[in-house]
């Protein structure tokens, strides 16, 4: 039986309600870590093929049962450029300045720098959009010094979104894999993320993203899963 737009939206809302219900979330957060990410992003299209993005983000975390006892995790500022290579391919470069806090939320955070590059492809199939991204990133402690790289990752990301007709809260879901040294070798997988969310777009005030992420290490059985609620505001 073919489902119409109304039926699909109804199933989506039921799933969203169950997923974020109090009992479900409480059960999922047992013996796990929780984080809250909030961000403001400004996007500027300088030409048909080139654009830049400025983003500021604050991350809070908690190792306690009460979410209101959260403390600082990190904050960062990022500058990213994107170049349209073709109808479906896009290349990007970014620089991120990070201030990492200790577990007590000490304001005297440790400065880090991160740079990354990525190649992204996106395919539109009527109302369904499928995208994939391969990213390489490297992180430095203190100043930007390539002889002192403390963490390097390859990342592979897949995302699916659906544009409902006459509907503001279109769903997005996907997954991302983190690998060290070589993204072609399965043994290098370090952790993964799965995510589910939505975006509300308004002509006058920009866009609002709401997303849930689950992050889990794959090499250590003792690593606790991390549950993240992310809310972002995008200015075009």
């Amino acid at each position: 039986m073919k489902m119409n737009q109304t039926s699909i939206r109804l199933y989506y809302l039921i799933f969203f309600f169950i997923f974020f219900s109090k009992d479900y979330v409480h059960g999922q957060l047992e013996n796990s870590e929780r984080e809250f990410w909030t961000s403001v992003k400004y996007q500027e299209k300088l030409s048909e093929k080139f654009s830049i993005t400025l983003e500021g983000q604050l991350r809070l975390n908690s190792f306690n049962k009460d979410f209101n006892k959260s403390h600082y995790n990190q904050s960062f500022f990022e500058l990213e450029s994107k170049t349209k290579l073709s109808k479906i391919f896009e290349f990007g470069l970014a620089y991120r300045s990070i201030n990492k806090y200790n577990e007590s939320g000490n304001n005297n955070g440790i400065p880090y720098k991160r740079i990354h590059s990525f190649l992204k492809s996106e395919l539109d199939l009527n109302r369904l959009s499928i995208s994939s991204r391969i990213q390489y990133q490297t992180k430095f402690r203190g100043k930007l010094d390539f002889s002192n790289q403390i963490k390097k990752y390859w990342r592979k990301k897949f995302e699916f979104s659906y544009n409902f007709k006459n509907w503001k809260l279109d769903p997005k879901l996907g997954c991302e894999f983190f690998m060290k040294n070589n993204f072609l070798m399965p043994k290098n997988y370090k952790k993964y993320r799965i995510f589910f969310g939505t975006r509300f777009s308004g002509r006058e005030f920009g866009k609002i993203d709401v997303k849930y992420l689950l992050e889990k290490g794959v090499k250590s059985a003792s690593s606790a899963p991390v549950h993240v609620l992310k809310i972002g505001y995008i200015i075009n």
Side-chain angles (χ1 to χ4, degrees):
M1 182 177 66
K2 186 177 181 180
M3 292 190 298
N4 57 30
Q5 293 275 326
T6 303
S7 299
I8 297 175
R9 289 198 294 263
L10 179 60
Y11 287 128
Y12 165 53
L13 286 175
I14 292 174
F15 172 78
F16 196 88
F17 176 77
I18 294 175
F19 195 82
F20 287 99
S21 65
K22 181 179 179 181
D23 293 339
Y24 181 86
V25 172
H26 178 74
Q28 293 297 307
L29 294 183
E30 289 294 328
N31 301 318
S32 63
E33 299 176 10
R34 288 153 288 172
E35 297 187 8
F36 175 69
W37 301 355
T38 180
S39 66
V40 176
K41 185 183 295 186
Y42 174 76
Q43 297 176 330
E44 180 71 25
K45 190 174 182 180
L46 301 179
S47 69
E48 288 298 320
K49 293 187 177 182
F50 186 76
S51 64
I52 60 171
T53 300
L54 301 174
E55 180 181 1
Q57 187 173 129
L58 174 65
R59 297 181 178 181
L60 305 174
N61 61 12
S62 175
F63 298 96
N64 307 299
K65 290 184 178 180
D66 298 323
F67 190 75
N68 57 11
K69 294 182 180 179
S70 299
H71 50 258
Y72 288 109
N73 178 308
Q74 63 176 273
S75 59
F76 67 78
F77 169 79
E78 181 175 288
L79 172 62
E80 182 180 77
S81 65
K82 298 178 183 179
T83 303
K84 195 77 172 177
L85 301 179
S86 67
K87 187 176 180 179
I88 62 173
F89 288 104
E90 183 179 63
F91 175 75
L93 290 171
Y95 166 80
R96 179 180 292 187
S97 179
I98 306 168
N99 199 27
K100 178 74 174 178
Y101 301 94
N102 60 27
E103 292 186 5
S104 62
N106 193 328
N107 288 330
N108 298 319
I110 303 172
Y112 291 91
K113 303 293 187 294
R114 197 192 86 177
I115 58 174
H116 72 252
S117 61
F118 65 86
L119 180 65
K120 180 181 178 180
S121 65
E122 186 168 359
L123 183 63
D124 292 323
L125 303 172
N126 197 4
R127 294 187 174 275
L128 175 65
S129 178
I130 304 173
S131 67
S132 62
R133 186 188 70 185
I134 298 177
Q135 176 173 304
Y136 176 76
Q137 66 186 50
T138 182
K139 191 175 182 180
F140 313 84
R141 182 166 181 171
K143 63 180 182 179
L144 198 65
D145 183 1
F146 283 89
S147 64
N148 186 31
Q149 302 177 55
I150 61 172
K151 189 178 290 185
K152 294 181 285 186
Y153 276 114
W154 284 94
R155 297 166 62 168
K156 291 191 290 188
K157 181 179 179 180
F158 304 93
E159 182 175 292
F160 304 87
S161 61
Y162 191 85
N163 181 19
F164 288 114
K165 187 177 181 179
N166 300 322
W167 181 253
K168 295 291 187 180
L169 303 176
D170 296 328
K172 293 185 177 182
L173 58 92
C175 58
E176 186 169 17
F177 303 94
F178 293 70
M179 295 80 64
K180 281 191 172 183
N181 303 321
N182 190 332
F183 74 96
L184 295 176
M185 299 295 292
K187 66 179 181 180
N188 290 319
Y189 279 95
K190 182 69 175 178
K191 61 182 179 180
Y192 66 88
R193 285 177 184 166
I194 57 175
F195 57 88
F196 171 79
T198 187
R199 169 176 290 180
F200 180 82
S201 299
R203 294 182 179 179
E204 297 181 357
F205 58 84
K207 304 173 183 176
I208 298 176
D209 277 342
V210 180
K211 184 183 294 185
Y212 163 80
L213 302 94
L214 170 63
E215 181 178 299
K216 185 71 170 62
V218 296
K219 294 298 182 181
S220 175
S222 60
S223 61
V226 181
H227 299 267
V228 180
L229 175 62
K230 181 180 178 181
I231 299 177
Y233 177 55
I234 303 172
I235 307 170
N236 290 324

